[in-house]
Amino acid sequence: MSLIAVTVIGHDRPGIIADATAGLAGLGLNLEDSTMTLLRGHFAMMLICSGDRSPGEVEEALAPLTADGRLQVSAAAVPDEDAADVLGRRPYVLTVHGGDRPGIVSAVTRVVAAAGGNITDLTTRLAGDLYVAVAEVDLPGDADADAVAGQLRDAGARLGVGVTLRPQETDVL
């Protein structure tokens, strides 16, 4: 079994998810992880699938999605995740809100990276002048979360936005 990352991006229309996942199921691929969203009217989807197919076979099966030129599809092999990389990490939720300006995401994610943390999910939205970001963050077990939270608040203050870091609830569905 191999893992394949599939991306589909382009102008939104009804049925993209149904068509893409039907093509993958038709190849016998299992959908393991996915994220899908609309970004200012454009569709963006990334999937991690497992199965005994090549990236070329995946792109060929999904070629009908690109027929009108409004979507792009790509597939690439990805290595299996090393379980040791995630052991001992603690999950947090990072939120940012305030007036929009360049550099917000860069500043707060730099603080997380400097602490050895990893951003596992990030969503941003601009509503008028209000900028909101929500990220799921994994910090190493030995990281001082209170110190990281203080550094994040300081970075936010320099940018004129509020930043919070709190432990993530671990209940799953």
Side-chain angles (χ1 to χ4, degrees):
M1 287 271 173
S2 61
L3 292 177
I4 299 173
V6 179
T7 60
V8 178
I9 59 172
H11 187 25
D12 189 38
R13 67 164 172 76
I16 296 172
I17 296 169
D19 294 343
T21 56
L24 297 169
L27 291 174
L29 295 175
N30 186 44
L31 181 60
E32 292 195 4
D33 284 317
S34 67
T35 186
M36 305 164 203
T37 193
L38 283 178
L39 301 169
R40 303 271 173 168
H42 293 320
F43 181 77
M45 173 170 68
M46 179 174 259
L47 310 159
I48 301 294
C49 305
S50 62
D52 293 322
R53 299 296 182 144
S54 72
E57 290 174 297
V58 171
E59 287 182 355
E60 185 177 322
L62 298 181
L65 290 171
T66 67
D68 67 2
R70 296 175 67 156
L71 289 174
Q72 297 175 6
V73 173
S74 66
V78 295
D80 290 330
E81 183 178 324
D82 184 2
D85 288 344
V86 296
L87 293 177
R89 292 195 167 267
R90 296 171 296 155
Y92 290 83
V93 174
L94 168 69
T95 58
V96 178
H97 64 281
D100 186 34
R101 64 168 284 179
I104 295 171
V105 171
S106 175
V108 297
T109 58
R110 179 62 51 211
V111 171
V112 172
N118 189 35
I119 306 292
T120 59
D121 190 55
L122 173 65
T123 301
T124 65
R125 290 287 181 254
L126 180 60
D129 291 333
L130 177 64
Y131 186 79
V132 177
V134 178
E136 294 178 17
V137 175
D138 283 346
L139 291 179
D142 62 352
D144 182 344
D146 290 334
V148 173
Q151 294 165 355
L152 287 164
R153 282 190 301 275
D154 292 346
R158 287 189 296 275
L159 294 164
V161 296
V163 181
T164 60
L165 181 71
R166 63 175 173 78
Q168 182 177 351
E169 298 296 325
T170 56
D171 292 340
V172 178
L173 303 176

